[in-house]
Amino acid sequence: MQTEKEGEDDVSPEEYVALSDFTGSGSDQLSFSRGDRLLVHTKPSSEWWWAELQEVKGYVPASYLRKSTAEEEEDVSLEDPWQDEEYFGSYGTLRLHLEMLSDKSRTEAYRQVILSNSASLKNKVVMDLGCGTGIISLFCAQLAQPSLVYAVEASSMADYTRQLVKQNGSEEVVSVLQARAEEIELPERVDVLVSEWMGNSLLFEFMVESVLLARDRWLREGGVMWPSSAALTLVPCQAHSYYDEKMAFWERPYGLDFTPLQPLAQQEFFTKPKFSHLVEPADCLSSPCDVISLDMYTLQIKDLEEIKGQFQFCVEKPGVFHGFTTWFTAHFESLETGSPPVELNTGPHFKPTHWKQTLFMLDNPVSVCAGDSISGSIVLHRNPVWRRHMTITLHWNVNGSTEETENCKANISSTLFFLPYN
Ligand code: GJV
C-alpha cells in the first residue's frame, strides 16, 4: 500500500485529539495514545483517515479522534456514546422489525425454544428483553403458561406492542414496559431471561451489555438464560466476485490501466467488514472453527472490552484465500429431559438469516493448496468511545511462515450500527 499521498498539501490539515489509545497494524497505520494531537490530511473514507503524528504519516481510525477546537469539543461531549436516540429511533419504525420477523430461522428458533420447554415454563416469570413487536412474549403466552411475562422495549414500538398483546388476548399474562432495560423496576426477580440480542459478528450493537445488566439485577439465583451460550465462528474463504467487483475492476476498465486506484480501493472497500455477505459452502477453504464462545451465565460486562480467540485451519482444497468470513451460533439449553437443545446457526451450511455473514478481506489474495495450514488469532476490541462498535483484528500466517512479516488486518465497524440491515 502506498505511504505517500499526492495533492494533500493543497488543503491545510485539521488538528484532532485522540480519544483513546490505538495500536496500528501493518506499516500503513499509525499508533497513538489518548490525548495525542494528530494532523488529519485527508479523509479517504468515513472510517479511515490519512493523518500525521510527529512527522510520521499513516491511516488512523476516524472514530478514535475528535476535533480539537473548543466548540467541537463541547459538541462531542454532548454526544451519547451509545447513540441511543438513533438506535431506538431506528427500532421505532417497522423496517427492522419486518426484517427480523421475516427471518424464519431466527423467529422459529425462539418459537421452538418456548414450545419444547412449555412444561417447564408453567407458572414461571419471564423477561423478554428488547421484545420489539412482542413476538417472543406472545409465543410464551400462547404456547406455554407462564404466570407473567415482562416484555421490555425501549423504542416507541412498545405502544404498538401493547396493542398487539391485547389484540391477541394475552394482556393478562404479558406486561409491556416501555423503558430501557437498565432503568426498569420490577416487584420481583424473574425465572427466565430471554432476549434476541445478537448482532453482526455476534457482538456489534453490544445489546448484550443490557442483557448482562438485567441478568445481574433481575434473574433469580438458578434462573435460565436464553440464549444460554453463543459462539463466533470463522472460516478462511474465497470471494472471487467481490474481489473482482471492487479490486480487479481497476486493472483494465474500457481498455485503460486504472491500477493506480487500487490502493485507494483497498482502503475504501477492504478495511471495513462487508456485512450481509453470503459465503457459498463451496467457497469455504476449510471446515469452520469456533473462535470465541460466550457463556451467558458467567460472562461479565468487563470481559466485552477485549475478547481474544485463536484458530488453526487445514486447507481442504486448492483455491484463492481472499479473506475470512464470520457468523455466530446461539444455543438454548433445554429444561426438559428428552428434548434436545435448540440451536440457531447463522452459518453458510444453514438457511440464510437476516444477519447473513460478515466478510473480512485480506489486503492481497493468497493462493493455497490442500494441506496448507492457516493459523492465527482474532481480537474483538470494543470501541472505547462508541460503545456499540468494535474493531476486529485478525493476525494470520500460512504454513507458519515466519520469514515474512506477519499478516495483520484491523477492521473497524461501520459508523452506523444499523447500516448492515440496509
Ligand atoms: N432496553 C430495552 N429495549 C432494548 C434495549 C434495552 N437496553 N436494547 C435494545 N432494545 N438482535 N441486535 C430493543 C430495541 O429497541 C429493539 O426493538 C430490540 O431490542 C432489538 C432486537 C434485535 N437486535 C439485535
Side-chain angles (χ1 to χ4, degrees):
M1 171 169 302
Q2 66 185 36
T3 48
E4 292 291 320
K5 299 215 118 200
E6 286 175 20
E8 68 192 22
D9 297 335
D10 302 344
V11 280
S12 54
E14 296 170 278
E15 194 181 62
Y16 280 76
V17 180
L19 290 161
S20 140
D21 298 353
F22 177 76
T23 308
S25 58
S27 56
D28 57 347
Q29 291 178 9
L30 288 182
S31 296
F32 50 80
S33 309
R34 185 192 164 104
D36 279 350
R37 290 179 177 268
L38 293 99
L39 290 175
V40 174
H41 288 278
T42 55
K43 298 178 178 173
S45 75
S46 54
E47 283 83 18
W48 291 94
W49 293 348
W50 183 250
E52 178 179 345
L53 177 65
Q54 290 154 3
E55 293 176 13
V56 182
K57 289 179 184 170
Y59 285 103
V60 295
S63 60
Y64 280 58
L65 305 179
R66 69 161 162 76
K67 211 59 180 299
S68 77
T69 62
E71 29 181 308
E72 288 282 341
E73 219 168 279
E74 266 173 33
D75 280 348
V76 167
S77 63
L78 286 176
E79 274 185 51
D80 170 16
W82 283 88
Q83 298 163 291
D84 274 353
E85 205 177 306
E86 203 176 1
Y87 182 75
F88 292 121
S90 69
Y91 280 116
T93 64
L94 268 190
R95 187 174 61 95
L96 295 177
H97 295 288
L98 178 60
E99 177 153 37
M100 293 187 289
L101 291 171
S102 313
D103 180 343
K104 284 238 172 72
S105 309
R106 164 200 180 267
T107 309
E108 287 290 350
Y110 281 84
R111 201 177 90 91
Q112 191 55 41
V113 172
I114 305 304
L115 192 59
S116 63
N117 289 285
S118 60
S120 307
L121 286 170
K122 192 166 170 128
N123 297 328
K124 293 284 161 39
V125 179
V126 179
M127 183 194 300
D128 173 6
L129 195 161
C131 69
T133 51
I135 187 82
I136 301 173
S137 298
L138 288 168
F139 287 155
C140 288
Q142 310 223 325
L143 304 174
Q145 292 164 306
S147 61
L148 192 56
V149 181
Y150 293 107
V152 184
E153 173 55 48
S155 79
S156 58
M157 191 52 61
D159 278 340
Y160 292 93
T161 309
R162 224 171 261 126
Q163 292 179 39
L164 298 177
V165 166
K166 203 159 180 215
Q167 192 77 12
N168 289 281
S170 295
E171 70 270 34
E172 302 283 287
V173 177
V174 179
S175 165
V176 179
L177 308 175
Q178 181 174 4
R180 297 180 73 240
E182 289 80 346
E183 286 152 14
I184 52 169
E185 290 298 336
L186 303 180
E188 61 191 330
R189 289 192 177 233
V190 303
D191 301 298
V192 178
L193 173 49
V194 59
S195 180
E196 193 278 85
W197 53 264
M198 300 79 72
N200 288 286
S201 292
L202 185 60
L203 288 173
F204 277 118
E205 291 180 46
F206 283 90
M207 183 177 163
V208 67
E209 176 165 326
S210 307
V211 174
L212 298 180
L213 275 167
R215 175 197 68 190
D216 294 345
R217 192 146 178 234
W218 295 113
L219 187 67
R220 74 158 169 79
E221 193 78 25
V224 173
M225 295 289 289
W226 278 331
S228 318
S229 64
L232 182 72
T233 308
L234 190 73
V235 76
C237 65
Q238 308 194 115
H240 283 290
S241 55
Y242 188 61
Y243 184 83
D244 289 351
E245 181 191 323
K246 302 293 187 208
M247 189 56 71
F249 174 85
W250 308 106
E251 279 162 19
R252 210 97 199 120
Y254 304 96
L256 300 167
D257 183 351
F258 270 37
T259 53
L261 293 179
Q262 282 184 324
L264 200 57
Q266 198 280 323
Q267 189 59 34
E268 199 167 322
F269 304 121
F270 295 173
T271 57
K272 55 187 170 188
K274 178 184 183 269
F275 294 110
S276 289
H277 177 69
L278 281 174
V279 65
E280 293 284 336
D283 280 328
C284 296
L285 293 166
S286 127
S287 306
C289 159
D290 284 355
V291 285
I292 284 160
S293 297
L294 305 181
D295 178 333
M296 292 304 291
Y297 290 95
T298 56
L299 182 66
Q300 299 295 316
I301 291 171
K302 63 174 172 12
D303 301 339
L304 300 172
E305 295 302 320
E306 190 175 73
I307 306 180
K308 294 180 178 175
Q310 298 208 314
F311 51 84
Q312 177 146 32
F313 297 104
C314 178
V315 174
E316 285 160 13
K317 57 186 166 196
V320 184
F321 174 28
H322 282 115
F324 290 99
T325 297
T326 66
W327 63 85
F328 70 82
T329 307
H331 307 271
F332 303 80
E333 69 177 297
S334 169
L335 310 179
E336 294 179 17
T337 41
S339 78
V342 174
E343 183 186 276
L344 168 60
N345 190 320
T346 64
H349 301 281
F350 292 79
K351 199 170 152 221
T353 66
H354 76 290
W355 287 281
K356 300 185 185 164
Q357 291 110 31
T358 307
L359 172 66
F360 298 82
M361 292 293 278
L362 309 186
D363 287 350
N364 297 297
V366 183
S367 288
V368 289
C369 313
D372 282 350
S373 93
I374 298 173
S375 53
S377 62
I378 181 169
V379 183
L380 312 190
H381 187 244
R382 191 168 179 190
N383 192 296
V385 184
W386 303 108
R387 303 306 279 159
R388 294 196 187 274
H389 301 260
M390 66 180 166
T391 304
I392 295 184
T393 308
L394 291 151
H395 288 268
W396 76 94
N397 63 63
V398 179
N399 296 329
S401 64
T402 43
E403 67 275 9
E404 286 176 44
T405 50
E406 199 177 60
N407 298 295
C408 179
K409 178 96 200 171
N411 272 271
I412 300 286
S413 74
S414 54
T415 345
L416 297 175
F417 43 79
F418 51 83
L419 255 183
Y421 302 109
N422 276 336

